Amino acid sequence: MDLKTSASGRPTRVRWKILALLVSFSVTAYIMRVNITIAGDPIMRESHLTPVQLGWIFSAFLITYTIFMTPAGIFLDRYGTRIILAAGALSWAFLSIFTAVTPNILFTSTLGIIVSLAVVRGVLGICQAPTFPGGAKAISEWFPDSERALANGLVQTGGLFGTAVTAPLISYLMVHLGWRHAMVVTSLLAPTLALLWLYYATDRPRAHPGINAAE
Protein backbone atom coordinates (compact mmCIF):
# COMPACT_ATOMS: atom_id res chain seq x y z
CA MET A 1 0.00 0.00 0.00
CA ASP A 2 1.34 3.41 -0.96
CA LEU A 3 1.38 5.84 1.91
CA LYS A 4 0.33 9.38 1.21
CA THR A 5 2.75 12.24 1.72
CA SER A 6 1.49 15.28 3.61
CA ALA A 7 2.01 18.73 2.08
CA SER A 8 4.39 19.74 4.84
CA GLY A 9 6.20 16.43 4.96
CA ARG A 10 5.59 16.24 8.70
CA PRO A 11 4.44 13.01 10.32
CA THR A 12 0.72 12.64 10.84
CA ARG A 13 -0.58 12.03 14.38
CA VAL A 14 -2.77 8.99 13.89
CA ARG A 15 -0.83 6.99 16.47
CA TRP A 16 -1.78 9.44 19.22
CA LYS A 17 -5.46 9.06 18.38
CA ILE A 18 -4.98 5.29 18.53
CA LEU A 19 -3.38 5.80 21.93
CA ALA A 20 -6.31 7.92 23.10
CA LEU A 21 -8.63 5.03 22.24
CA LEU A 22 -6.37 2.56 24.06
CA VAL A 23 -6.41 4.77 27.16
CA SER A 24 -10.21 4.87 26.86
CA PHE A 25 -10.25 1.06 26.81
CA SER A 26 -8.19 1.08 29.99
CA VAL A 27 -10.49 3.56 31.75
CA THR A 28 -13.66 1.79 30.63
CA ALA A 29 -12.33 -1.66 31.54
CA TYR A 30 -11.72 -0.57 35.12
CA ILE A 31 -15.14 1.07 35.40
CA MET A 32 -16.73 -2.17 34.18
CA ARG A 33 -14.76 -4.31 36.64
CA VAL A 34 -15.06 -2.05 39.68
CA ASN A 35 -18.71 -0.96 39.36
CA ILE A 36 -20.07 -4.05 41.14
CA THR A 37 -17.77 -3.52 44.11
CA ILE A 38 -19.21 -0.04 44.63
CA ALA A 39 -22.73 -1.50 44.36
CA GLY A 40 -21.76 -4.38 46.65
CA ASP A 41 -23.52 -3.08 49.76
CA PRO A 42 -27.02 -2.67 48.23
CA ILE A 43 -26.61 -5.98 46.38
CA MET A 44 -25.69 -7.68 49.66
CA ARG A 45 -28.63 -6.19 51.56
CA GLU A 46 -31.16 -6.77 48.79
CA SER A 47 -30.07 -10.36 48.12
CA HIS A 48 -29.34 -11.25 51.76
CA LEU A 49 -25.74 -12.18 51.03
CA THR A 50 -22.92 -12.24 53.53
CA PRO A 51 -19.62 -10.40 52.99
CA VAL A 52 -17.93 -13.78 52.50
CA GLN A 53 -20.40 -14.77 49.78
CA LEU A 54 -19.92 -11.42 48.07
CA GLY A 55 -16.16 -12.02 48.27
CA TRP A 56 -16.61 -15.30 46.39
CA ILE A 57 -18.38 -13.39 43.63
CA PHE A 58 -15.65 -10.75 43.43
CA SER A 59 -12.90 -13.39 43.41
CA ALA A 60 -14.36 -15.11 40.34
CA PHE A 61 -13.20 -12.19 38.20
CA LEU A 62 -9.60 -12.29 39.42
CA ILE A 63 -9.32 -16.06 38.97
CA THR A 64 -10.42 -16.11 35.32
CA TYR A 65 -8.68 -12.82 34.53
CA THR A 66 -5.37 -14.30 35.66
CA ILE A 67 -5.83 -17.70 34.02
CA PHE A 68 -6.88 -16.34 30.63
CA MET A 69 -4.23 -13.64 30.29
CA THR A 70 -1.94 -15.96 28.31
CA PRO A 71 -4.66 -17.37 26.00
CA ALA A 72 -5.73 -13.76 25.39
CA GLY A 73 -2.24 -12.99 24.12
CA ILE A 74 -2.43 -15.95 21.73
CA PHE A 75 -5.76 -14.74 20.34
CA LEU A 76 -4.42 -11.21 19.93
CA ASP A 77 -1.44 -12.48 17.95
CA ARG A 78 -3.71 -14.56 15.75
CA TYR A 79 -6.67 -12.24 15.15
CA GLY A 80 -5.28 -8.76 15.85
CA THR A 81 -6.17 -6.03 18.31
CA ARG A 82 -8.94 -4.42 16.25
CA ILE A 83 -11.38 -7.32 16.44
CA ILE A 84 -10.41 -8.72 19.84
CA LEU A 85 -10.56 -5.42 21.74
CA ALA A 86 -13.87 -4.44 20.12
CA ALA A 87 -15.43 -7.82 20.87
CA GLY A 88 -14.19 -7.59 24.45
CA ALA A 89 -15.72 -4.16 25.02
CA LEU A 90 -19.08 -5.25 23.62
CA SER A 91 -19.09 -8.21 25.98
CA TRP A 92 -18.39 -5.95 28.98
CA ALA A 93 -21.61 -4.05 28.30
CA PHE A 94 -23.68 -7.21 28.00
CA LEU A 95 -22.23 -8.64 31.21
CA SER A 96 -22.75 -5.41 33.15
CA ILE A 97 -26.41 -5.35 32.13
CA PHE A 98 -26.74 -9.04 33.02
CA THR A 99 -25.29 -8.27 36.44
CA ALA A 100 -28.06 -5.71 36.98
CA VAL A 101 -30.90 -8.12 36.18
CA THR A 102 -29.50 -11.30 37.76
CA PRO A 103 -30.12 -10.85 41.52
CA ASN A 104 -33.80 -11.20 42.50
CA ILE A 105 -35.04 -10.86 38.92
CA LEU A 106 -33.64 -13.81 36.98
CA PHE A 107 -32.57 -15.67 40.11
CA THR A 108 -34.21 -15.41 43.53
CA SER A 109 -32.58 -18.09 45.66
CA THR A 110 -29.36 -17.30 47.51
CA LEU A 111 -27.50 -20.09 45.74
CA GLY A 112 -28.79 -19.00 42.34
CA ILE A 113 -27.74 -15.41 42.94
CA ILE A 114 -24.25 -16.39 44.12
CA VAL A 115 -23.63 -18.83 41.27
CA SER A 116 -25.04 -16.57 38.54
CA LEU A 117 -23.11 -13.51 39.67
CA ALA A 118 -19.92 -15.55 40.08
CA VAL A 119 -20.33 -16.91 36.55
CA VAL A 120 -20.95 -13.42 35.15
CA ARG A 121 -17.89 -12.07 36.95
CA GLY A 122 -15.82 -15.03 35.78
CA VAL A 123 -16.82 -14.48 32.16
CA LEU A 124 -16.03 -10.77 32.56
CA GLY A 125 -12.54 -11.75 33.71
CA ILE A 126 -12.09 -13.78 30.52
CA CYS A 127 -13.39 -10.95 28.34
CA GLN A 128 -11.18 -8.34 30.02
CA ALA A 129 -8.01 -10.43 29.87
CA PRO A 130 -7.04 -9.12 26.37
CA THR A 131 -7.27 -5.45 27.38
CA PHE A 132 -3.73 -4.69 28.51
CA PRO A 133 -1.92 -7.27 26.34
CA GLY A 134 -3.91 -5.80 23.44
CA GLY A 135 -2.85 -2.31 24.39
CA ALA A 136 0.79 -3.35 24.57
CA LYS A 137 0.57 -5.09 21.20
CA ALA A 138 -1.08 -2.08 19.54
CA ILE A 139 1.57 0.23 21.00
CA SER A 140 4.35 -2.02 19.68
CA GLU A 141 2.81 -1.79 16.20
CA TRP A 142 2.06 1.93 16.21
CA PHE A 143 4.86 3.55 18.24
CA PRO A 144 8.65 3.73 17.80
CA ASP A 145 10.90 2.53 20.59
CA SER A 146 11.44 6.09 21.78
CA GLU A 147 7.72 6.59 22.54
CA ARG A 148 6.59 3.16 23.76
CA ALA A 149 7.31 3.68 27.45
CA LEU A 150 5.29 6.90 27.44
CA ALA A 151 2.43 5.25 25.56
CA ASN A 152 2.34 2.25 27.90
CA GLY A 153 2.51 4.56 30.91
CA LEU A 154 -0.52 6.49 29.71
CA VAL A 155 -2.51 3.28 29.17
CA GLN A 156 -1.66 2.14 32.71
CA THR A 157 -2.60 5.58 34.02
CA GLY A 158 -5.97 5.18 32.33
CA GLY A 159 -6.67 2.12 34.45
CA LEU A 160 -5.83 3.97 37.66
CA PHE A 161 -7.97 6.91 36.57
CA GLY A 162 -10.85 4.53 35.88
CA THR A 163 -10.52 3.12 39.38
CA ALA A 164 -10.50 6.63 40.86
CA VAL A 165 -13.61 7.89 39.04
CA THR A 166 -15.73 4.76 39.41
CA ALA A 167 -16.57 5.21 43.09
CA PRO A 168 -17.98 8.75 42.84
CA LEU A 169 -19.60 8.00 39.46
CA ILE A 170 -21.40 4.84 40.58
CA SER A 171 -22.27 6.37 43.96
CA TYR A 172 -23.86 9.39 42.27
CA LEU A 173 -25.83 7.20 39.87
CA MET A 174 -26.95 4.87 42.68
CA VAL A 175 -28.29 7.79 44.71
CA HIS A 176 -30.30 9.14 41.78
CA LEU A 177 -31.13 6.00 39.80
CA GLY A 178 -30.49 2.96 41.99
CA TRP A 179 -27.68 0.43 41.65
CA ARG A 180 -29.26 -1.51 38.78
CA HIS A 181 -29.63 1.55 36.57
CA ALA A 182 -26.13 2.65 37.57
CA MET A 183 -24.78 -0.61 36.14
CA VAL A 184 -26.79 -0.20 32.94
CA VAL A 185 -25.82 3.44 32.40
CA THR A 186 -22.09 2.80 32.82
CA SER A 187 -22.33 -0.20 30.49
CA LEU A 188 -23.14 2.20 27.61
CA LEU A 189 -19.53 3.41 27.60
CA ALA A 190 -18.23 0.09 26.28
CA PRO A 191 -20.24 -0.31 23.03
CA THR A 192 -19.62 3.35 22.17
CA LEU A 193 -15.89 2.77 22.53
CA ALA A 194 -16.04 -0.49 20.56
CA LEU A 195 -17.73 1.23 17.61
CA LEU A 196 -15.20 4.07 17.63
CA TRP A 197 -12.35 1.56 17.72
CA LEU A 198 -13.78 -0.48 14.84
CA TYR A 199 -14.33 2.67 12.81
CA TYR A 200 -10.91 4.26 13.33
CA ALA A 201 -8.33 1.63 14.30
CA THR A 202 -6.37 -0.79 12.16
CA ASP A 203 -4.08 -3.58 13.30
CA ARG A 204 -1.09 -2.04 11.54
CA PRO A 205 -0.22 1.54 10.56
CA ARG A 206 0.19 0.80 6.85
CA ALA A 207 -3.46 -0.24 6.65
CA HIS A 208 -4.70 3.10 8.01
CA PRO A 209 -5.87 5.63 5.39
CA GLY A 210 -4.93 8.62 7.53
CA ILE A 211 -1.25 7.88 8.01
CA ASN A 212 1.57 9.26 5.86
CA ALA A 213 5.03 7.96 5.03
CA ALA A 214 6.72 10.24 7.57
CA GLU A 215 4.76 8.79 10.47
Side-chain angles (χ1 to χ4, degrees), residues 66-100:
T66 302
I67 292 173
F68 281 87
M69 191 71 70
T70 299
I74 296 172
F75 273 87
L76 285 160
D77 285 336
R78 179 171 298 180
Y79 299 109
T81 56
R82 182 173 179 270
I83 294 300
I84 297 298
L85 290 180
L90 290 173
S91 71
W92 307 343
F94 173 79
L95 292 166
S96 184
I97 293 171
F98 198 72
T99 300

Side-chain angles (χ1 to χ4, degrees), residues 13-85:
R13 299 294 181 179
V14 174
R15 68 191 184 281
W16 296 108
K17 297 175 183 177
I18 294 291
L19 179 61
L21 289 171
L22 293 175
V23 172
S24 299
F25 270 105
S26 181
V27 174
T28 304
Y30 268 86
I31 293 174
M32 295 292 99
R33 76 172 65 174
V34 176
N35 55 10
I36 191 175
T37 64
I38 309 303
D41 187 62
I43 292 174
M44 196 165 51
R45 286 187 279 105
E46 182 181 309
S47 303
H48 307 291
L49 301 178
T50 68
V52 172
Q53 291 168 334
L54 195 65
W56 294 341
I57 293 168
F58 293 164
S59 296
F61 172 89
L62 294 174
I63 292 170
T64 56
Y65 182 75
T66 302
I67 292 173
F68 281 87
M69 191 71 70
T70 299
I74 296 172
F75 273 87
L76 285 160
D77 285 336
R78 179 171 298 180
Y79 299 109
T81 56
R82 182 173 179 270
I83 294 300
I84 297 298
L85 290 180

Side-chain angles (χ1 to χ4, degrees), residues 106-172:
L106 294 181
F107 297 91
T108 56
S109 68
T110 299
L111 179 61
I113 292 170
I114 293 172
V115 171
S116 60
L117 285 178
V119 169
V120 171
R121 292 292 293 176
V123 175
L124 180 64
I126 295 171
C127 295
Q128 285 216 355
T131 306
F132 288 98
K137 179 174 175 60
I139 287 169
S140 71
E141 296 285 355
W142 277 91
F143 283 82
D145 291 345
S146 60
E147 295 174 345
R148 287 178 187 172
L150 171 62
N152 276 294
L154 289 171
V155 170
Q156 296 296 326
T157 300
L160 297 175
F161 178 78
T163 302
V165 301
T166 301
L169 173 63
I170 298 296
S171 298
Y172 177 85

